[in-house]
Amino acid sequence: MSEEMDEKQSDLIVESTGLDHEQIDSLKKGFDGFDKEGGGTITQTTMQMILKSMGVKVDKDEMDGYAAEVDEEAAGKFTFEQFCQIAAKFMVEDDVEQMKEELKEAFRIYDKEGQGFITTDVLKEILREIDATLTEDDLDNIIEEVDDDASGTLDFDEFQAMMMG
């Protein structure tokens, strides 16, 4: 079953799991490497080994829970699509945590006095750096949306909500 996955199948997995094409390709290589007989399935232990070899932290109890969710017949065998669903639970969560850490760091850099907030002027500066095509009106509209209390400042939670959409 190691024939190339078609783009449509890959797109469906991207849509249903939140993984990107590169992650899916890596998972596919690992899956195919362990699916020696070409039966189209692997075991839970094999899934853990593949994820660990990719540097993904896998908690055994969480793995048991996620595996039980997708293995409705309790067959103990998982198709590539099921493997991707389970892998996404570990891989996508890591991305979110990493993004939160990066946002905290960025916020700290702009919150020069360590007051726990940044001004909307500073936010405009950040947004201009991200997208130079934004007009003053665009910036004002964004600020209006994210500065809920119209205080002229954003705390970390408001900043994070805006940046993570």
Side-chain angles (χ1 to χ4, degrees):
M1 167 125 195
S2 72
E3 83 275 348
E4 280 299 300
M5 195 176 24
D6 66 27
E7 214 172 303
K8 198 173 181 183
Q9 182 188 15
S10 185
D11 287 343
L12 286 172
I13 294 171
V14 166
E15 226 172 90
S16 67
T17 63
L19 294 167
D20 62 40
H21 287 283
E22 200 174 299
Q23 290 171 313
I24 292 168
D25 288 344
S26 295
L27 291 171
K28 182 72 173 146
K29 285 184 183 102
F31 185 93
D32 289 345
F34 282 96
D35 181 22
K36 297 273 188 257
E37 294 85 47
T41 60
I42 57 174
T43 65
Q44 182 176 331
T45 305
T46 302
M47 283 195 289
Q48 285 178 247
M49 288 183 348
I50 294 168
L51 291 171
K52 282 184 178 164
S53 74
M54 292 172 63
V56 178
K57 289 188 192 86
V58 179
D59 176 272
K60 174 103 174 73
D61 293 337
E62 285 180 30
M63 172 60 91
D64 290 343
Y66 297 144
E69 281 174 30
V70 299
D71 185 18
E72 290 161 2
E73 292 92 44
K77 298 274 187 191
F78 299 87
T79 64
F80 180 65
E81 286 80 6
Q82 290 172 319
F83 172 47
C84 287
Q85 287 177 334
I86 294 167
K89 303 276 192 194
F90 295 100
M91 296 169 77
V92 173
E93 200 170 279
D94 281 353
D95 289 349
V96 169
E97 287 307 310
Q98 187 178 347
M99 185 177 208
K100 283 181 181 175
E101 283 307 308
E102 288 169 9
L103 286 174
K104 267 186 200 152
E105 192 52 41
F107 189 83
R108 259 187 241 117
I109 291 167
Y110 289 104
D111 178 17
K112 291 175 178 65
E113 279 86 52
Q115 297 171 303
F117 63 84
I118 57 173
T119 65
T120 51
D121 288 338
V122 169
L123 179 61
K124 282 184 181 183
E125 220 176 277
I126 295 168
L127 293 171
R128 276 192 205 100
E129 283 177 33
I130 294 171
D131 184 354
T133 65
L134 290 171
T135 66
E136 201 58 36
D137 276 349
D138 293 334
L139 293 169
D140 289 338
N141 289 334
I142 293 169
I143 301 282
E144 198 176 300
E145 263 181 56
V146 295
D147 185 14
D148 295 330
D149 53 6
S151 62
T153 62
L154 261 81
D155 63 19
F156 177 71
D157 291 335
E158 289 173 307
F159 177 72
Q160 178 178 295
M162 179 198 75
M163 296 304 272
M164 294 183 77

